[in-house]
Amino acid sequence: PQLAEEALVSLICNVRTYDTSNLRIRMFSRFLNLGGQPYPLEALNIFLGALVKIQNGQLPLMPNHDIHVNAVRGMRVIEYIFAQAPHVVRAKVLLEAEKKATGKHI
């Protein structure tokens, strides 16, 4: 148990140290509610589900190199993921996206 606690403390310290310099770490910190506006659990489930689908289950889900996804494939993944989500979650995500997109061209 002590080794696990030490590893957890080390993880949290590293996330807090590097979350301003790395976008992947910043997103991870928001999922852990360690910095910035936290993401809800539903967002984590949708995000991870989309990564698994885009990568066809191959690991790592977030490689260090750029991932280029065909727009048609990306749309299919989005449709698949949102078809799996309950209506309440879909409505909440859509509402948040509309709030953020107000006045912006997408």
Side-chain angles (χ1 to χ4, degrees), residues 54-55 63 65-71 73-74:
I54 284 173
Q55 293 289 79
H65 57 81
D66 291 339
I67 300 173
H68 299 283
V69 179
N70 175 297
R73 179 174 166 73

Side-chain angles (χ1 to χ4, degrees), residues 24-51:
R24 289 169 54 183
I25 296 173
R26 184 176 309 144
M27 185 182 316
F28 185 62
S29 73
R30 290 178 69 185
F31 282 130
L32 295 177
N33 194 14
L34 293 175
Q37 181 180 358
Y39 289 126
L41 181 58
E42 295 89 5
L44 177 62
N45 289 333
I46 290 170
F47 177 74
L48 291 176
L51 281 178

Side-chain angles (χ1 to χ4, degrees), residues 1-12:
Q2 185 175 359
L3 287 177
E5 288 177 17
E6 289 174 8
L8 183 59
V9 168
S10 177
L11 174 69
I12 291 171

Side-chain angles (χ1 to χ4, degrees), residues 2 15 20 57 60 67 80 92 100:
Q2 185 175 359
V15 167
T20 58
I67 300 173
Y80 173 82
K92 182 178 178 181
K100 290 182 180 183

